[in-house]
Amino acid sequence: MKNRIGPPVEGEDFVGREKEINHVWKKIEEGNHFILAAPRRVGKSSFGKKILKIANDNTWKVLELNLEGISSEKQFLKEFIYQIKEESWWASVKSNANETLMAIVDSVNSIETGVGKIEFDWSKTENLYKDLKKLLESLDNCLIMMDELTIYLNRLEVESGTKRTEYFLNWLRSFRQKSNTQIRWIFCSSVSIENYTNLNNMSYTLNDVHSLSIGAFDKSTALLLLEKLEENKTFAISDNHKNYVLKKIGWLLPYFIQLYFSKIEYEIIHNRKKITKQTLDDIYTDLLENKTLDTWVERLVDYKANAGWAKKILKINCKTAEGLTKARLIDSLTQQIPDIEEREEVVIKVLNMLLNDGYLIKEKDKYPFRSPFLRDYWFNKFVI
Ligand SMILES: Nc1ncnc2c1ncn2[C@@H]1O[C@H](COP(=O)(O)OP(=O)(O)OP(=O)(O)O)[C@@H](O)[C@H]1O
Ligand SMILES: [Mg+2]
């Protein structure tokens, strides 16, 4: 297998998760829809792609839409239509598309080719949503994956306010409300969609969708991944050292394992190091400086007015492996928020968001970091 660090993996590079894959596919066949929720780099997109592949193998029509780079509603609609017309099944359903939709398709085409540009009247977007819906509902079994939905919702909100995000979520809901719908949806989200809908009183728009949190690998899958990475290499890592690496990582994300492995390979091949516990410790220290974890800091901007409180809580909380209790965390903000009720409300809300987004977990009455690797990174970066 290739050591792909970062982009979603497919084919033989995809390891493990068989049980969850089978479960999700079975439920989808039964007519259910899913939110695949997990923090960054846990493996949502790879998981979603695997399900799309299964659907495709079962002769379903499939569509994948990555919303991460989309910054406006217009761009979203264009991208959606563009992706539809790129699919192999488009030719067979084209005749179901009405005039307006075809005009958009032409306009998307003309953007690509630069000739015969026809611009759609974008003030009529609601009609376009209706046309799109009609077209999609004319398909038989179809699985649509929307990746990074919450990122798009946040952008759409900045562009046009929560009225539009609510409209959009209701548009999606309207597909699912139809009995015998042939369309199934998978939404992937690295920023908790629940946080978003709760904050905006829109939970009702997604309450019919199953939520599956994609987690870390268990120990045996993590070992299997290390073994696969080692295949065809000129070196071998002893079982002892493999276990040591997994212990250091703690929360066994395949991404962390691949990152660690690539560093080990580098040290062996380029720096001619021998694998010892010391080398593995040094690699770990190097990884803490690595920019790969910066996304965990950056995406706190989506907490908007609560971002500062989240940072304060994480900074205080990263000082111990076992984390602090809610009461201690509330106490720690006494100076900044003198009013006790306001302080409690802030801490409870932010703790929930941090739990939803996978920064922290709850163990008995304490809130430790979910990943010791992330905690060490946080400490290294923010505690003097
Ligand atoms: N099942 C898997 N088998 C092997 N590697 C995996 C698997 N799932 C994830 N990975 C590793 O994790 C990395 C990130 O995977 P993926 O892009 O699917 O995660 P993601 O949760 O969608 O991330 P992001 O939030 O950044 O979009 C991949 O590049 C790969 O290194
Ligand atoms: Mg992804």
Side-chain angles (χ1 to χ4, degrees), residues 240-278:
N240 239 345
H241 284 148
K242 282 197 184 92
N243 282 312
Y244 189 68
V245 165
L246 297 184
K247 200 163 149 237
K248 291 224 73 130
I249 295 176
W251 192 41
L252 300 176
L253 292 192
Y255 176 65
F256 289 169
I257 298 169
Q258 278 151 331
L259 206 59
Y260 216 126
F261 182 87
S262 74
K263 273 270 186 190
I264 295 175
E265 185 176 13
Y266 186 85
E267 291 302 329
I268 294 178
I269 307 289
H270 292 272
N271 293 336
R272 300 180 184 283
K273 289 255 175 76
K274 283 227 162 356
I275 294 299
T276 60
K277 281 198 171 161
Q278 187 57 51

Side-chain angles (χ1 to χ4, degrees), residues 273-327:
K273 289 255 175 76
K274 283 227 162 356
I275 294 299
T276 60
K277 281 198 171 161
Q278 187 57 51
T279 318
L280 295 174
D281 286 344
D282 293 345
I283 290 174
Y284 183 82
T285 310
D286 275 359
L287 285 173
L288 296 179
E289 302 286 342
N290 199 294
K291 297 223 173 315
T292 50
L293 291 179
D294 289 354
T295 58
W296 287 80
V297 183
E298 289 158 10
R299 72 201 175 105
L300 288 173
V301 293
D302 288 329
Y303 285 35
K304 297 180 186 139
N306 291 309
W309 300 128
K311 282 191 185 151
K312 285 203 163 54
I313 287 177
L314 290 168
K315 182 173 172 182
I316 297 161
N317 211 29
C318 76
K319 294 179 186 168
T320 56
E322 61 279 9
L324 297 176
T325 60
K326 198 185 280 174

Side-chain angles (χ1 to χ4, degrees), residues 6 8 40-46 66 68 145 147-148 188 190:
R40 282 233 91 105
R41 300 281 192 268
V42 171
K44 303 168 294 291
S45 301
S46 306
N66 187 356
E68 180 151 23
M145 163 165 142
D147 207 349
E148 298 299 358
C188 300
S190 57

Side-chain angles (χ1 to χ4, degrees), residues 65 70 72-86 103-112 117-120 122 125 128-129 132 152:
L65 207 61
I70 307 259
S72 70
E73 195 167 7
K74 182 170 161 182
Q75 200 189 347
F76 163 78
L77 287 162
K78 280 192 176 178
E79 184 64 20
F80 202 159
I81 294 164
Y82 176 80
Q83 288 302 334
I84 291 176
K85 86 174 185 56
E86 284 299 289
I104 305 279
V105 171
D106 285 343
S107 110
V108 172
N109 277 335
S110 66
I111 288 162
E112 278 167 59
K117 195 162 157 50
I118 308 161
E119 219 8 280
F120 174 72
W122 290 100
T125 44
L128 189 51
Y129 280 109
L132 259 174
Y152 176 60

